[in-house]
């Protein structure tokens, strides 16, 4: 699709190579050593995606569009993969931790995100 004639044919059908990127969508990533209690993890995610009561420094609700993570859950020998798409949430068990240092790594994609607030609220739950 690099040729001008190819794009001209697509533009006639309403398709263009102009990108519309929403500048208000940002990404936050962090890692915290330790494990989180299963119920605390569920509450953290639910407060973000369902209750929508986590706000940034200016009082805007942090809107989570996507969330992915690899989390160490207390008393769970396997890694837990988190998947969030807007208001849908899933946890998947994968490989065992063995001798690896247990760590929780999460990537948030959304609007009005403040890393320090997300990190602080999550870190309080990790032991």
């Amino acid at each position: 699709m690099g040729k001008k004639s190819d794009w001209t044919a697509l533009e006639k059908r309403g398709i263009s190579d102009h990108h519309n990127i929403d500048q208000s969508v940002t990404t936050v990533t962090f890692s915290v050593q330790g494990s989180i209690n299963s119920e605390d993890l569920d509450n953290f995610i639910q407060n973000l995606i369902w209750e929508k009561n986590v706000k940034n420094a200016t009082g805007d609700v942090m809107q989570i569009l996507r969330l992915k993570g690899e989390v160490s859950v207390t008393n769970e020998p396997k890694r837990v993969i988190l998947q969030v798409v807007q208001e849908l949430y899933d946890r998947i068990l994968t490989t065992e931790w063995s001798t690896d240092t247990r760590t929780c790594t999460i990537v948030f994609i959304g609007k009005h995100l403040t890393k320090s607030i997300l990190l602080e609220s999550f870190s309080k739950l990790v032991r």
Side-chain angles (χ1 to χ4, degrees):
M1 291 300 304
K3 293 190 246 175
K4 180 68 174 162
S5 61
D6 292 339
W7 279 115
T8 304
L10 291 174
E11 286 172 344
K12 287 179 182 177
R13 294 185 179 105
I15 300 169
S16 81
D17 64 343
H18 180 73
H19 301 283
N20 294 316
I21 298 173
D22 186 342
Q23 297 296 322
S24 67
V25 176
T26 59
T27 302
V28 168
T29 304
F30 60 73
S31 292
V32 179
Q33 282 192 358
S35 297
I36 185 169
N37 176 286
S38 182
E39 187 175 326
D40 288 342
L41 176 61
D42 285 338
N43 288 336
F44 176 79
I45 300 296
Q46 290 169 15
N47 283 330
L48 280 171
I49 66 172
W50 295 332
E51 303 299 328
K52 300 187 188 306
N53 60 11
V54 180
K55 297 181 180 180
N56 67 13
T58 60
D60 296 313
V61 172
M62 293 193 209
Q63 181 183 354
I64 305 300
L65 303 174
R66 295 271 295 153
L67 181 152
K68 289 184 171 259
E70 179 185 74
V71 179
S72 171
V73 173
T74 306
N75 297 323
E76 173 55 62
K78 294 186 176 183
R79 300 165 196 269
V80 175
I81 301 298
L82 299 178
Q83 297 273 359
V84 172
V85 178
Q86 295 187 9
E87 293 188 359
L88 301 175
Y89 168 44
D90 196 13
R91 293 165 54 163
I92 302 160
L93 295 176
T94 62
T95 60
E96 296 210 6
W97 282 100
S98 65
T99 59
D100 297 339
T101 301
R102 288 182 170 244
T103 305
C104 300
T105 301
I106 303 178
V107 178
F108 303 84
I109 300 171
K111 296 183 178 184
H112 313 295
L113 304 180
T114 302
K115 181 176 183 171
S116 60
I117 294 171
L118 289 167
L119 178 58
E120 181 182 346
S121 61
F122 186 80
S123 293
K124 287 179 184 178
L125 306 172
V126 175
R127 307 280 177 250

